[in-house]
Amino acid sequence: MKKTYQITEDGRKELEAELESLKGRRGEIADKIAEARDYGDLSENAEYDSAREEQGLVETRIAEIEDILVNAEIIKVKKSSKVHVGSTVEIKNDKTVKYTIVGPVEADPMNGKISNESPLGVALMDKEVGDKVTLTTPKGDITYMVVSVN
């Protein structure tokens, strides 16, 4: 069964840019491998091992991004009074923070993007301005109030 990935249009563009960048590195990595091969004995050649490992990581990420793009469901951002995937929601407890709810592929909490599958994302789904959500954390319960939904 194929997995469908929910991503926003911006997320699709970011993935396509990353894919292009990674594909552009293929030649550079091939040159590193060829250069390291010229050093001789491959059994004890750290440069060769490092270049091959880098090649493996790049090729794995390329395959992963291609799979995501082929199986992507683009989230249409729509205006709603309720939180849904694609919404930007402002929540408040001691301080006010703003998050955009995205699919797991795009999640980047440090940049204000949380997954709809994360505990906070799940708690926020279908909430409206004024609603409260409570999360249980190792440090105890934290309650947030929804301040705005865009």
Side-chain angles (χ1 to χ4, degrees):
M1 188 170 130
K2 282 188 177 180
K3 178 162 175 55
T4 302
Y5 302 93
Q6 291 185 319
I7 60 174
T8 62
E9 184 63 30
D10 287 344
R12 182 188 61 79
K13 289 176 184 174
E14 288 173 12
L15 285 172
E16 286 175 344
E18 182 182 354
L19 181 61
E20 201 61 36
S21 171
L22 290 170
K23 285 183 174 181
R25 290 183 53 204
R26 283 176 163 162
E28 169 192 328
I29 295 169
D31 290 344
K32 283 183 185 178
I33 292 171
E35 185 179 320
R37 202 177 277 136
D38 291 342
Y39 293 148
D41 184 11
L42 297 181
S43 66
E44 295 181 19
N45 189 327
E47 288 85 2
Y48 179 79
D49 292 342
S50 175
R52 292 287 299 175
E53 183 177 342
E54 183 181 5
Q55 181 183 43
L57 292 172
V58 166
E59 292 301 326
T60 299
R61 183 63 180 154
I62 287 171
E64 180 180 35
I65 292 172
E66 287 176 339
D67 179 57
I68 291 167
L69 292 172
V70 165
N71 296 298
E73 174 189 319
I74 304 299
I75 300 164
K76 302 290 185 208
V77 179
K78 57 186 184 230
K79 291 287 183 190
S80 173
S81 61
K82 292 187 176 190
V83 176
H84 59 275
V85 178
S87 294
T88 298
V89 60
E90 197 170 343
I91 57 175
K92 176 180 176 180
N93 64 357
D94 294 337
K95 59 183 179 180
T96 301
V97 291
K98 189 182 280 191
Y99 292 112
T100 300
I101 310 298
V102 296
V105 170
E106 284 182 84
D108 185 1
M110 300 305 288
N111 288 309
K113 295 178 181 179
I114 60 169
S115 168
N116 63 321
E117 296 178 8
S118 70
L120 182 56
V122 169
L124 287 170
M125 295 304 284
D126 294 321
K127 299 296 186 259
E128 297 179 283
V129 173
D131 287 351
K132 292 185 178 181
V133 297
T134 301
L135 288 177
T136 301
T137 72
K139 292 185 177 182
D141 289 350
I142 300 173
T143 300
Y144 295 97
M145 185 173 82
V146 178
V147 177
S148 71
V149 178
N150 296 326

